[in-house]
Amino acid sequence: ILAACRLAAPRGAARLFRPMGLLIVDDVHRHYGGQEVLRGASFQIDPEEKVGLVGRNGGGKSTLLRLIEGLEAPDRGSITLRK
């Protein structure tokens, strides 16, 4: 199980609009042989957000980062990284 934890915005910080996602991961699946490493991972990170990626050993954290970087391709789903 992976968990991405969003850090709260400082008190008094107003967000008047939600900008387009800087990173969008939508229903991403990844297998290595018969082992399912990621199943339906979906999340969005907006500009100026700070997030942390935590999970158990072998939970798919490094795989997810390789997919985001484009070093590997997902078996299913999509990853959009806006620059």
Side-chain angles (χ1 to χ4, degrees), residues 6-51:
R6 296 183 192 278
L7 301 178
R11 282 198 176 155
R15 252 196 158 147
L16 301 177
F17 63 96
R18 184 177 171 104
M20 287 180 54
L22 181 64
L23 172 64
I24 301 168
V25 174
D26 185 29
D27 194 32
V28 170
H29 294 250
R30 184 70 171 121
H31 298 82
Y32 292 108
Q35 183 177 1
E36 185 175 58
V37 178
L38 293 174
R39 177 181 47 196
S42 297
F43 61 90
Q44 176 175 320
I45 299 174
D46 293 324
E48 299 185 20
E49 279 190 308
K50 293 173 179 58
V51 298

Side-chain angles (χ1 to χ4, degrees), residues 57-78:
N57 291 348
K61 300 177 300 292
S62 295
T63 298
L64 180 59
L65 293 174
R66 284 194 302 271
L67 292 169
I68 292 168
E69 186 64 27
L71 300 174
E72 296 182 16
D75 295 326
R76 191 170 93 196
S78 65

